[in-house]
Structures are given as structure tokens and as C-alpha cells.
Amino acid sequence: MSELFVQAKQAILATDKEKALEAAKRHLDAGGEPLEIISRGFVPGITEVGEQFGRGTLFLPELIMAAEAMMAVTDLLSAAMAAKGGSVSASPSGSILAATVKGDVHDIGKGIAIAMFKANGYAVHDLGRDVEVDEIINGAEKHGVRVIATSALLTTTMSEQKKLEETLKKAKLRDKYVTLVAGAPVTQRWATRIGADIYAENAHIGVVRVGEKL
Ligand code: B12
């Protein structure tokens, strides 16, 4: 692994925002792809933080600090991604509404995905995090999007994605939209079970699958 990817991972584990930003900037200065250091350095770092938190060897204040460092670098790298432009989809059509579901404040992965969609020419309306199903549907109607993408990081909030499918059906709006579900506990099995159109394991796959559906 490149020395910079190791530094990136270590900086997140050490909750060191400055070191994390330094690794990100050095990677960009060397002409590196923003997504590469995210997926090979920073994401392994925050994943390890999550595992340590789950095992009880790291506590909430450190989880929060690691998340802050992660957000600082993803902001920087997302801006670089948007500036560079992408290469996944040559001719995007249709805009996207994105939200983290109600009860859930995790939005780092969604932020990365939005940056990738934008870099590939899609218009994205981001409703933020902790968003009610009704607000998601109203937002989709208001902005006239084709795709509704939701992110859920907690096993307890995934049910909101099911509620979205059910509410769309009840309102006779289901056929109007392509729904995409994502988030660490979300799987293809879950997407199939609730009737979502796309399961996106990561941001790149999300862009590819949306491109195939539209
Ligand atoms: C960072 C983090 C936080 C930060 C979030 C900051 C933020 N602004 O996002 C803070 C500190 C706030 C936090 C809080 C909590 N957290 Co937390 N957190 C994490 C952690 C460590 C990393 C998540 C992350 O950002 N990963 C990196 C990103 C890049 O990965 P990702 O989100 O999965 O995204 C990728 C894909 O899923 C996908 N994707 C995701 N969204 C989207 C959207 C689209 C459109 C597309 C295409 C793709 C896509 O693409 C991304 C990669 O390309 C995870 C551990 C983990 N492994 O997930 C725990 C974790 C999710 N948290 C957990 C818990 C328990 C909590 C708290 C309840 C803790 C507490 N006691 O208060 C609270 C919950 C608050 C709430 N109501 O939401 C548990 C959840 C357990 C469970 N079974 O549900 C985890 C798994 C940790 C653990 N091992 O226990 N957390």
C-alpha cells in the first residue's frame, strides 16, 4: 500500500484531522484520484474505528473526532472530484434526490456518493440527514427527480427504506421513480425484499447502476 494511504488510515485512527488533511492534499498534489485515497486509505481507517467502537475498545468521543476528521477530508476530496469531473457515465439523464433516512445522522458515505454523481454530470438534490419519508417524497415531487437514493447506516433505521417503498406505492407514485438503497448494513437481499430498484454497495457502483437504469 502506498505510504500516503497508510498515513490516511492512521490519521483517522489517531483522530488527527490535520494529518488526514495533509495526506489528502499530498495525494491531490501528486495528481492522485480523489476516490482512490478515500477508498484505500480513509474508508479502511473509519471502518476500523467503527470496529473498535463496536468491540468497546474505542469510545463515542473518539468516534466523533474520527468522524470529524473523515468529514474534513471527504469535503476536500469531494470538491476535487467535482472539479475533475468523472468518467463513469458519459451522458447522464435525470436528476437524483438523496437523503439519509429518519433517525440516522450518518452522511459521510452519502456525501461521497453525491460528489461522484455530480462529478459524472448528474444534478443532485441533497435533503441532508434524519429525513422523514414524507419529506423525501415531497422533495422528489418538488424537484421532479427520476431517482430517489436513500442511505441508512443503522440496522434500526433501514426500515425507513421499506416505509419509503410502501408509501410510494400507496400514493401510486412508485412507477414514477427509480429507488436506490445504500448504507453499510444494507444488502442486495434487503433491496430485493423491500422492492427497491437498485442496491449500491458503494458510490461508484451507485453511479454505474443508475446509469444503466436511466
Ligand atoms: C462515522 C460514524 C459515526 C459518526 C457519523 C458522522 C457522519 N456525519 O456521518 C457519528 C459519530 C455521528 C456516529 C454516531 C452514531 N453511530 Co456511528 N458509525 C460511524 C462509522 C464508524 C463509520 C460510518 C462511515 O462514515 N463509514 C465510511 C463511509 C464511506 O461508509 P458508508 O457510510 O457505509 O458508505 C459507503 C456505502 O455504504 C455506500 N453508501 C452509503 N450511502 C450511500 C448513498 C448513496 C446514494 C450511494 C450511491 C452509496 C452510499 O457508499 C459508501 C462508500 O462508497 C460506522 C462504522 C461502519 N463500519 O459503518 C459507525 C456505526 C454505523 N455507528 C453505529 C452507532 C451505534 C452509532 C450511534 C448509535 C452511537 C451512539 N451511541 O450514539 C450514533 C447514532 C446516531 C444516529 N442517530 O444516527 C454502529 C451501528 C450499529 C448498528 N448495528 O446499527 C456502527 C456500525 C459502529 C459499530 N460497529 O457499532 N457514527
Side-chain angles (χ1 to χ4, degrees):
M1 206 199 293
S2 135
E3 170 249 324
L4 268 185
F5 299 156
V6 175
Q7 184 186 329
K9 181 177 175 187
Q10 292 304 334
I12 298 298
L13 280 167
T15 72
D16 190 335
K17 193 193 319 190
E18 294 316 314
K19 268 254 151 42
L21 281 168
E22 185 194 300
K25 283 177 190 153
R26 281 180 54 205
H27 178 73
L28 292 177
D29 289 346
E33 280 295 326
L35 193 63
E36 200 186 3
I37 192 163
I38 292 180
S39 52
R40 295 182 62 190
F42 293 118
V43 169
I46 197 76
T47 303
E48 167 97 35
V49 164
E51 280 162 12
Q52 291 187 14
F53 177 74
R55 284 201 299 270
T57 54
L58 178 147
F59 302 98
L60 194 57
E62 293 146 297
L63 176 67
I64 293 171
M65 281 167 68
E68 279 168 6
M70 187 73 187
M71 284 187 275
V73 289
T74 51
D75 281 353
L76 178 87
L77 294 164
S78 295
M81 235 189 271
K84 258 187 148 177
S87 54
V88 179
S89 161
S91 52
S93 58
S95 56
I96 297 163
L97 181 111
T100 298
V101 297
K102 186 183 155 203
D104 202 324
V105 302
H106 296 87
D107 64 357
I108 295 172
K110 172 174 69 75
I112 296 170
I114 288 174
M116 274 215 76
F117 276 113
K118 286 185 174 167
N120 283 283
Y122 289 93
V124 185
H125 302 275
D126 181 17
L127 294 190
R129 48 197 195 169
D130 190 14
V131 188
E132 294 261 7
V133 161
D134 287 347
E135 214 183 310
I136 294 175
I137 297 175
N138 289 341
E141 290 285 289
K142 179 177 153 206
H143 294 293
V145 301
R146 226 3 226 120
V147 181
I148 301 179
T150 55
S151 183
L153 263 284
L154 298 170
T155 45
T156 49
T157 58
M158 286 164 67
S159 55
E160 287 292 308
Q161 294 177 327
K162 183 164 178 263
K163 189 175 165 193
L164 173 66
E165 296 293 330
E166 290 165 355
T167 313
L168 281 171
K169 268 187 215 137
K170 264 191 214 139
K172 303 217 178 329
L173 290 170
R174 182 60 188 86
D175 294 344
K176 196 170 165 186
Y177 298 107
V178 170
T179 56
L180 177 156
V181 289
V186 176
T187 56
Q188 178 59 60
R189 201 160 161 224
W190 171 248
T192 307
R193 200 178 122 196
I194 66 172
D197 297 307
I198 299 174
Y199 161 58
E201 180 186 333
N202 60 45
H204 174 81
I205 290 177
V207 177
V208 171
R209 301 236 162 100
V210 165
E212 285 165 359
K213 278 268 174 199
L214 295 185

